[in-house]
Amino acid sequence: MYRSLRKALGSVISRSYSSTSADFGNEDDDNSAANASGMVGGAEQASPFERISADILYCIFSLLPGHDLAAASIVCKAWSSIIQGSESLWRNVLAAKAGSTWSLVLFAETSLRSLPPFATSNDGLDSFQRIYGARQQVPCSVVIDGGSGYCKYGWSNFNKPTGRFPTFLAYGNIENPIYSSLMDFFTTVYERLAAKPALQPLVISTPICHYDDTEVAIACRRNLLHITHKVLFSMGVKAICAVDQAVLALIASKQTSGIVVNIGFQLTSVVPIYRGKIMRKAGVEVIGQGALQLTARLCELMQRSGISFENITVVKALKEKLCYVAEDYDRELCRHTEASCTLDSYGEFTLNHERFMACEIMFQPYLGGLRTMSIQQAVALCIEHCMEISNCNDMWFNTVVLAGGSASLPGLGERLKKELCKLLPQRISKTLNVISQSNGADLAWHGAKLLSNVSCFQDTWCVTKKDFQKYGQKILDAKAWF
Ligand SMILES: Nc1ncnc2c1ncn2[C@@H]1O[C@H](COP(=O)(O)OP(=O)(O)OP(=O)(O)O)[C@@H](O)[C@H]1O
């Protein structure tokens, strides 16, 4: 800490006194600074540190890392009152440690902690310094979002997933739990991360369930959770936190209530979530098209236009680089929309109307020969169901969050909002908020990361092997977020 303080002190001194004397050994300068803003120590015989004014100390403290700030807070009463009395110092430290923004940390430590599975009777975290202390105790976790198409995995103290791999190629659909393929899947992730299962907790996303709330559906979800926990504990995993993929996407968007539209690998799900719980009474709407169908549609359009390509990987890459959603489809057809890009080892490609025509099947599925609901119809239907079962004063369902890799398509959020406004009553459409993010594919992973860093994460929410052996399915039901 001494070194940090000296460094911080040097930096502040050079900023504050660069035009005058910056020598703290100079008695006259020290005294004039003291007279100007009040010395903390006050005594003439005080050491140089004690003779620094409170505002300069504040500047110095704002440059210290969290552990040094905590140590400085117990040096003396004067330092303690500055450090403990200043929430802004801790705000900066908390945001820097999370590698994210202060608003995300605040959301995690207030909104998330107040949700039923997290809510603790008396958490006592009344200051940001205490939140910092509690977050310091939270171990780094392994975070796995095993999507039906692609798995994203990494560490909870990293800003993005460490890696990803296609799950549909190697493991089939992990939504159908087969013990051996799940074991293979999780072993692969741990090997890729070079992580030992016993050393840290694990946060996993559970697939969005596309069923009604029937007995069979409930049994399927419970079975999947049970087998997953069995596999992971047999691998020696320390503690597990399993959360629905849609809930995680919502959390990553700093919301606890709203409608998540997850454009998945083969299906799109419209999931109503109220205070972290999926509203099965309102129902999950499912559309039989996802990212795969968009790639297939682009493939078809390119073939029709005589654009040659070597394989489907090229088409997928072009979709990610060049495709977008038209704000007004008919108007876009009259425009010149040509754009090119170069793909490593495949050369340059130019697309014109294919760029937005491929994505239009989400809004007009029949264009691609699909007999499914359009995305706007499914969301409007879901909102209607939510209205029926909710208190009219609480318009939680007018926040729509777009998730999944295809949610990164430019223009999607704007177009969905426009189409929804045509379908919904004015009192809903007036306040409708459609949130789209550029990192749609990693949204659930980011939500899981956010959760795993909440100060009460491990105690409140994880299931340990001991818990599982003692209580079995009951503990999973008690901690499940669906
Ligand atoms: N910037 C982008 N623009 C368009 N599509 C994209 C973009 N980034 C990723 N995708 C597409 O998203 C798809 C993968 O989405 P995602 O990783 O969300 O699937 P998943 O999580 O496996 O699906 P599921 O929700 O069914 O489990 C891929 O087909 C990919 O081409």
Side-chain angles (χ1 to χ4, degrees):
M1 185 179 84
Y2 180 76
R3 250 200 265 147
S4 289
L5 273 173
R6 283 223 70 97
K7 215 168 125 197
L9 182 61
S11 153
V12 170
I13 290 168
S14 62
R15 277 192 233 160
S16 305
Y17 301 110
S18 55
S19 57
T20 58
S21 170
D23 181 3
F24 253 60
N26 181 328
E27 285 289 319
D28 293 342
D29 287 341
D30 282 353
N31 286 336
S32 59
N35 293 337
S37 46
M39 295 297 181
V40 167
E44 277 188 5
Q45 296 308 314
S47 70
F49 270 134
E50 287 169 319
R51 282 184 278 123
I52 304 168
S53 66
D55 52 350
I56 298 253
L57 271 176
Y58 178 89
C59 294
I60 294 169
F61 293 146
S62 67
L63 298 173
L64 293 181
H67 54 278
D68 285 347
L69 196 57
S73 75
I74 51 169
V75 166
C76 64
K77 275 190 188 160
W79 286 24
S80 162
S81 78
I82 296 171
I83 295 171
Q84 289 178 0
S86 170
E87 296 290 55
S88 62
L89 281 175
W90 292 103
R91 279 171 57 149
N92 296 341
V93 165
L94 277 163
K97 177 165 189 288
S100 68
T101 59
W102 164 245
S103 63
L104 266 182
V105 178
L106 189 65
F107 166 76
E109 294 295 341
T110 53
S111 305
L112 285 185
R113 284 177 63 96
S114 72
L115 293 179
F118 270 131
T120 45
S121 50
N122 178 21
D123 56 28
L125 288 177
D126 53 358
S127 77
F128 295 155
Q129 182 177 358
R130 292 185 68 178
I131 291 176
Y132 171 79
R135 283 174 79 100
Q136 283 293 90
Q137 309 301 315
V138 177
C140 174
S141 301
V142 165
V143 177
I144 306 175
D145 171 26
S148 65
Y150 295 87
C151 167
K152 303 92 187 166
Y153 59 89
W155 296 98
S156 65
N157 59 346
F158 278 43
N159 281 340
K160 57 180 189 175
T162 310
R164 62 192 75 231
F165 60 87
T167 37
F168 65 94
L169 287 178
Y171 305 101
N173 188 345
I174 66 156
E175 287 184 34
N176 297 321
I178 300 166
Y179 193 94
S180 57
S181 60
L182 276 177
M183 173 72 90
D184 195 15
F185 169 74
F186 287 116
T187 307
T188 303
V189 177
Y190 274 98
E191 276 172 10
R192 287 184 179 217
L193 277 174
K196 290 207 167 71
L199 294 188
Q200 61 282 304
L202 167 69
V203 192
I204 46 167
S205 70
T206 56
I208 297 166
C209 287
H210 309 110
Y211 308 106
D212 291 322
D213 209 7
T214 58
E215 288 302 312
V216 177
I218 294 168
C220 280
R221 287 200 298 273
R222 295 175 87 215
N223 185 37
L224 169 66
L225 263 189
H226 196 91
I227 297 189
T228 306
H229 280 76
K230 222 167 139 180
V231 166
L232 289 165
F233 286 133
S234 75
M235 288 167 60
V237 172
K238 188 180 172 184
I240 303 164
C241 167
V243 186
D244 187 283
Q245 206 182 359
V247 176
L248 291 175
L250 188 71
I251 286 171
S253 307
K254 281 195 277 175
Q255 308 289 329
T256 54
S257 300
I259 291 178
V260 173
V261 181
N262 183 69
I263 308 171
F265 189 57
Q266 301 196 64
L267 294 172
T268 296
S269 322
V270 182
V271 190
I273 300 166
Y274 181 67
R275 289 186 42 78
K277 266 209 173 295
I278 296 181
M279 300 295 284
R280 300 220 167 259
K281 264 207 275 178
V284 174
E285 303 298 332
V286 181
I287 310 170
Q289 63 163 306
L292 207 56
Q293 285 77 8
L294 296 181
T295 310
R297 174 70 175 152
L298 181 60
C299 193
E300 186 190 324
L301 292 167
M302 285 171 67
Q303 278 167 338
R304 262 200 236 160
S305 306
I307 304 167
S308 58
F309 51 88
E310 284 175 46
N311 53 47
I312 199 79
T313 311
V314 171
V315 184
K316 179 175 166 285
L318 290 174
K319 176 188 74 175
E320 292 169 14
K321 282 179 183 269
L322 294 177
C323 283
Y324 66 94
V325 175
E327 198 199 332
D328 180 324
Y329 183 66
D330 293 327
R331 204 178 59 205
E332 206 70 2
L333 283 172
C334 304
R335 288 184 55 221
H336 180 74
T337 55
E338 201 172 274
S340 305
C341 75
T342 305
L343 299 180
D344 285 349
S345 68
Y346 293 109
E348 185 173 286
F349 291 84
T350 301
L351 301 182
N352 190 359
H353 287 172
E354 301 81 15
R355 293 179 64 204
F356 63 90
M357 284 174 78
C359 311
E360 191 61 23
I361 56 168
M362 286 190 275
F363 295 92
Q364 305 189 60
Y366 62 88
L367 291 178
L370 300 167
R371 300 179 67 173
T372 59
M373 254 193 298
S374 65
I375 191 168
Q376 69 273 24
Q377 281 170 331
V379 179
L381 197 61
C382 183
I383 291 179
E384 266 172 39
H385 291 158
C386 293
M387 275 158 65
E388 281 162 18
I389 61 160
S390 306
N391 171 347
C392 1
N393 296 327
D394 186 358
M395 305 265 274
W396 60 271
F397 42 79
N398 66 3
T399 296
V400 177
V401 170
L402 290 169
S406 312
S408 310
L409 283 163
L412 180 61
E414 293 81 357
R415 173 73 181 278
L416 182 60
K417 185 168 179 176
K418 183 179 153 187
E419 299 297 339
L420 283 173
C421 287
K422 291 182 200 162
L423 298 174
L424 294 168
Q426 212 195 356
R427 70 186 178 87
I428 306 286
S429 62
K430 256 193 332 202
T431 52
L432 188 68
N433 179 21
V434 179
I435 303 173
S436 54
Q437 323 247 10
S438 55
N439 63 344
D442 296 343
L443 214 52
W445 188 91
H446 282 287
K449 169 194 147 89
L450 194 67
L451 280 183
S452 64
N453 285 313
V454 175
S455 51
C456 62
F457 165 70
Q458 209 178 347
D459 295 341
T460 343
W461 218 14
C462 284
V463 175
T464 61
K465 185 172 183 175
K466 212 165 130 198
D467 292 339
F468 187 63
Q469 281 171 337
K470 195 165 168 193
Y471 304 108
Q473 187 65 42
K474 273 191 200 150
I475 187 87
L476 302 186
D477 291 343
K479 301 218 174 192
W481 255 21
F482 55 69

